[in-house]
Amino acid sequence: MHTQQHPLTSKTAGLLINLNENSRKIIFIICVTLCLTPFISPAIALLMGLVIAQFTGHPYLHLNHKATHLLLQISVVGLGFGMNVHSAMQAGKEGVLFTIASITGTLIFGYFMGKWLNIEKKTSYLISAGTAICGGSAIAAISPVIKAEEKQISVALGCVFILNSIALFIFPMIGHHFNLSQTQFGLWCAIAIHDTSSVVGAASKYGPHALEVATTVKLARALWIIPVAFMSTFIFKNKSKKISIPYFIGLFVLAMIASTYIPATKLISPYMIMIAKAGLTLTMFLIGAGLSRKVLVSVGFKPLFQGVVLWIAISCAALYAVMHLA
């Protein structure tokens, strides 16, 4: 005899607390509201999201990817209103050589690691590109170019987001341990942390100048999505060349120019920055809430091992470079 499964069973399977849909939504909305207050830091928001993911679940999971993508872009543009063009250009110059060396080295090392571990080629490439450039944004831009399947994209994103979560907590501690200056820390986390959201979160915890350096270098790094995506079309022999260009970086630059050269902008800048920081905190919560047990398990050992080794390698190399070469 066939019995129909109750809707709650599939939606709450694997969760530690089984609640009805309305209760899950109320808890989620309360957490979202808390993230919009100045009392919750990005790190705490991420932790709250992880707790929600394991205990009650994300009631709007189908909207999560689009929401985090849009919120991050708006937040980054808002942060531009608190930055100065001249210091940002200086930070960009300091970071360009590190950026070229780290992207090239990570992609090459990732290729050989994938071969050695016998990881599916597209999955390995997406993990390497996400580690080398800017995490989820790079994976999202490159995956259609190489015609990656949903499972391959999910594994790469899951790997990157897990490591991002760890970085947000441990990077400021390591920075203080080695007594890094704000410039050094900003450079280091822009190179070694995958996603822009976690870079901004870690740098804002370290100091205002670290945030300025980190955001500028990371966004300059994000532009490397374009040449790497073009290169990917030849590696994977895809002639469609459909490439997603991160246009929000241009808006970030315009916000910086307005902040530097238009005096009237200073009247709205504090409010724009406040909104941007609240948006970033909410972004971190949503990222954490998307890391369900199913996502964590689906990554698998070998891809996660590749991601961890690549991340440790780029983190250690970048830390040595900013301490001794910058």
Side-chain angles (χ1 to χ4, degrees), residues 5-152:
Q5 190 182 35
H6 193 278
L8 276 177
T9 309
S10 58
K11 287 187 179 181
T12 61
L15 298 176
L16 297 176
I17 299 176
N18 194 341
L19 298 174
N20 63 46
E21 188 73 6
N22 287 336
S23 299
R24 293 168 67 226
K25 286 179 179 178
I26 290 167
I27 292 170
F28 187 84
I29 290 167
I30 290 170
C31 290
V32 167
T33 305
L34 284 171
C35 288
L36 297 175
T37 69
F39 309 111
I40 304 294
S41 69
I44 297 299
L46 178 66
L47 192 58
M48 279 171 53
L50 288 167
V51 170
I52 287 291
Q54 311 316 313
F55 282 83
T56 61
H58 191 330
Y60 305 103
L61 192 58
H62 60 292
L63 301 172
N64 205 58
H65 177 69
K66 285 184 179 178
T68 53
H69 188 65
L70 181 62
L71 265 174
L72 176 60
Q73 292 184 348
I74 293 169
S75 300
V76 167
V77 173
L79 289 172
F81 284 96
M83 298 185 184
N84 181 279
V85 169
H86 306 296
S87 54
M89 285 178 67
Q90 183 59 38
K93 286 177 186 175
E94 290 176 359
V96 68
L97 291 177
F98 292 128
T99 295
I100 294 169
S102 61
I103 289 174
T104 306
T106 303
L107 288 173
I108 292 171
F109 185 34
Y111 170 77
F112 286 109
M113 268 207 77
K115 294 277 280 186
W116 175 57
L117 292 169
N118 197 29
I119 299 171
E120 201 283 322
K121 186 179 178 183
K122 289 181 181 179
T123 302
S124 174
Y125 187 77
L126 288 175
I127 291 170
S128 301
T131 306
I133 308 170
C134 57
S137 300
I139 293 168
I142 291 171
S143 54
V145 173
I146 67 172
K147 295 182 178 177
E149 296 172 6
E150 189 65 35
K151 171 71 174 176
Q152 296 162 335

Side-chain angles (χ1 to χ4, degrees), residues 283-298:
T283 302
M284 297 313 301
F285 168 73
L286 293 176
I287 288 171
L291 288 175
S292 64
R293 190 178 304 178
K294 183 181 177 182
V295 172
L296 299 175
V297 171
S298 72

Side-chain angles (χ1 to χ4, degrees), residues 140-147 225 229-230 233 238-245:
I142 291 171
S143 54
V145 173
I146 67 172
K147 295 182 178 177
I225 289 174
F230 275 118
T233 63
N238 178 14
K239 294 179 181 179
S240 67
K241 296 183 175 66
K242 183 185 176 185
I243 296 165
S244 177
I245 299 170

Side-chain angles (χ1 to χ4, degrees), residues 243-307:
I243 296 165
S244 177
I245 299 170
Y247 294 105
F248 76 98
I249 296 173
L251 295 176
F252 168 79
V253 172
L254 289 176
M256 273 199 304
I257 292 169
S259 175
T260 307
Y261 297 109
I262 304 174
T265 308
K266 298 193 184 303
L267 295 172
I268 63 164
S269 289
Y271 302 103
M272 298 299 289
I273 295 163
M274 185 175 67
I275 293 168
K277 288 184 175 179
L280 175 70
T281 303
L282 182 55
T283 302
M284 297 313 301
F285 168 73
L286 293 176
I287 288 171
L291 288 175
S292 64
R293 190 178 304 178
K294 183 181 177 182
V295 172
L296 299 175
V297 171
S298 72
V299 172
F301 174 73
K302 284 185 177 181
L304 185 59
F305 181 69
Q306 179 190 5

